[in-house]
Amino acid sequence: DAKTTQPNSMESNEEEPVHLPCNHSTISGTDYIHWYRQLPSQGPEYVIHGLTSNVNNRMASLAIAEDRKSSTLILHRATLRDAAVYYCILRDGDDYKLSFGAGTTVTVRA
Amino acid sequence: DAGVIQSPRHEVTEMGQEVTLRCKPISGHNSLFWYRQTMMRGLELLIYFNNNVPIDDSGMPEDRFSAKMPNASFSTLKIQPSEPRDSAVYFCASSLYRDRKYEQYFGPGTRLTVT
């Protein structure tokens, strides 16, 4: 399985943007980049995914490097509700598996 | 939509007892996953069903664990006999695999404590 590397933790102030980096230097051409998050005492929640182009949805933006070896999840205005563990996951296009690593624990200060 | 429903939300049992966890996937989804989460090992995939058929059970820790999906709207994960090391949060997730998209929707989990 292709692996991802994320910082263990990040802190942010409320209403400021948060940029969560993810390195995936061994990514293959068919790997999708997925982001999930897990709020305290809840199950993981899908955030966004992309293949080659940057993606935006109501929750976040995903910026993918041109060589696809890294990506950044952007939360435009952090709220206290965004405090969670964020997982960056590579999934082969023909595979069903999501392999969750340790993720990045995001703390939002009021 | 009600989302993925799991029951019970909390289960406390004694070692040696049988435990059954239940999951109702999102209507229309054709894939179902059982995961286990612990502090030590993180989130692990136990078993994957597609169209009610078990496709990959390589993550099931041992024969004490079994999972069934008798129809598209119900699945169970059974542990018999249970042991203290089975204490964890068990999540069920469902997905509709279409056009190479595979967003998984997780339930709230069942927190299992085996004493």
Side-chain angles (χ1 to χ4, degrees):
Chain A
D1 291 343
K3 301 299 183 186
T4 63
T5 304
Q6 301 178 251
N8 290 332
S9 62
M10 292 189 71
E11 289 190 353
S12 175
N13 295 318
E14 199 174 11
E15 299 193 5
E16 290 185 355
V18 182
H19 291 241
L20 300 176
C22 181
N23 288 319
H24 29 79
S25 59
T26 59
I27 191 170
S28 71
T30 56
D31 284 335
Y32 285 78
I33 302 161
H34 286 250
W35 284 83
Y36 281 73
R37 72 179 184 180
Q38 187 172 18
L39 278 64
S41 300
Q42 294 189 27
E45 173 187 32
Y46 167 82
V47 177
I48 200 167
H49 79 281
L51 184 60
T52 57
S53 303
N54 294 345
V55 184
N56 299 297
N57 66 20
R58 64 175 180 80
M59 291 181 67
S61 295
L62 176 60
I64 301 173
E66 195 169 334
D67 63 4
R68 300 187 72 233
K69 295 185 176 183
S70 66
S71 60
T72 302
L73 179 71
I74 303 165
L75 308 178
H76 295 285
R77 289 184 63 194
T79 68
L80 296 179
R81 193 191 173 281
D82 291 321
V85 179
Y86 286 77
Y87 300 98
C88 172
I89 301 165
L90 297 183
R91 182 186 66 80
D92 182 86
D94 292 322
D95 197 2
Y96 53 86
K97 282 186 178 178
L98 294 176
S99 297
F100 289 81
T104 297
T105 300
V106 172
T107 304
V108 180
R109 294 184 292 255
Chain B
D1 201 324
V4 176
I5 299 172
Q6 292 188 246
S7 65
R9 294 294 310 276
H10 301 271
E11 177 79 36
V12 180
T13 190
E14 292 185 348
M15 183 174 64
Q17 296 298 306
E18 178 179 295
V19 175
T20 299
L21 311 181
R22 297 172 175 80
C23 174
K24 177 178 170 55
I26 293 173
S27 177
H29 281 188
N30 59 5
S31 297
L32 185 137
F33 307 81
W34 282 99
Y35 290 86
R36 177 173 68 176
Q37 187 172 37
T38 61
M39 289 293 291
M40 290 292 294
R41 301 174 67 90
L43 199 62
E44 305 172 280
L45 176 65
L46 299 178
I47 188 168
Y48 159 62
F49 291 87
N50 184 255
N51 293 323
N52 312 337
V53 176
I55 302 300
D56 182 0
D57 65 354
S58 61
M60 297 286 264
E62 48 197 276
D63 292 344
R64 297 184 298 106
F65 286 69
S66 62
K68 294 182 179 180
M69 192 164 186
N71 56 61
S73 59
F74 183 66
S75 177
T76 60
L77 178 67
K78 185 177 295 186
I79 307 172
Q80 166 63 20
S82 58
E83 297 182 2
R85 59 193 169 119
D86 301 330
S87 297
V89 181
Y90 290 82
F91 291 103
C92 175
S94 71
S95 178
L96 175 62
Y97 185 55
R98 182 176 59 192
D99 299 331
R100 303 186 102 195
K101 297 177 181 177
Y102 227 146
E103 302 165 22
Q104 293 186 21
Y105 296 84
F106 285 74
T110 296
R111 181 173 295 277
L112 173 65
T113 302
V114 183
T115 60

